[in-house]
Amino acid sequence: MNWAELYQATTDKPLGEFVAALAKAGSRRGFVIHNEEKMEMAHTFGAHGVMVGEGFDLHMIQVCKPKKAAASLQKNPERAALMPKFITTFTRDGRTEVRMLRYRRPMIEALVDDTEFASSLDESFDAIVAMIEEAR
């Protein structure tokens, strides 16, 4: 059984344009980009004294739906380990590649004995995929 799947998409939009469209699509659904100032990994590595090659444009975009997350975590803090949802983007052959690791329901239920949370997280992943598709 696969406990997770890797969502993969490609867009012809330049990375910055895709991120702006993703933020717009997210805001319509109550999501925010949580780490907008720190999502460029070249800057993050550079801040720690690690230089990367020219053209390295990996972005790790953390999306969050604050109202839903706050209510969920107050109900059960054990859910926190599975809450961070990152969308990664990078440029390859002139196109923007998009990836996201999506946990499957059996994994969520096995790790956090909480069926309500499994359903809620599934809904969040569906919403994030819809945001990505809209932003493409």
Side-chain angles (χ1 to χ4, degrees), residues 52-128:
V52 296
E54 188 172 325
F56 179 79
D57 68 351
L58 176 68
H59 284 57
M60 294 185 67
I61 305 164
Q62 185 179 19
V63 294
C64 178
K65 191 171 187 177
K67 280 187 177 179
K68 184 177 179 181
S72 179
L73 292 174
Q74 288 179 81
K75 190 175 254 185
N76 181 358
E78 293 288 341
R79 298 172 173 179
L82 297 177
M83 291 289 271
K85 292 177 252 341
F86 283 94
I87 299 168
T88 58
T89 61
F90 54 94
T91 303
R92 178 183 290 152
D93 299 327
R95 303 183 78 197
T96 299
E97 300 289 336
V98 183
R99 306 287 186 266
M100 180 183 72
L101 185 62
R102 180 179 182 150
Y103 315 129
R104 292 185 180 260
R105 189 179 183 95
M107 179 184 136
I108 299 164
E109 291 175 351
L111 295 176
V112 181
D113 186 21
D114 183 338
T115 55
E116 178 188 323
F117 179 57
S119 296
S120 175
L121 200 53
D122 229 17
E123 290 172 13
S124 292
F125 281 124
D126 286 343
I128 295 168

Side-chain angles (χ1 to χ4, degrees), residues 7 23 33 45 94 105 117-118:
Y7 169 84
I33 294 179
F45 290 137
R105 189 179 183 95
F117 179 57

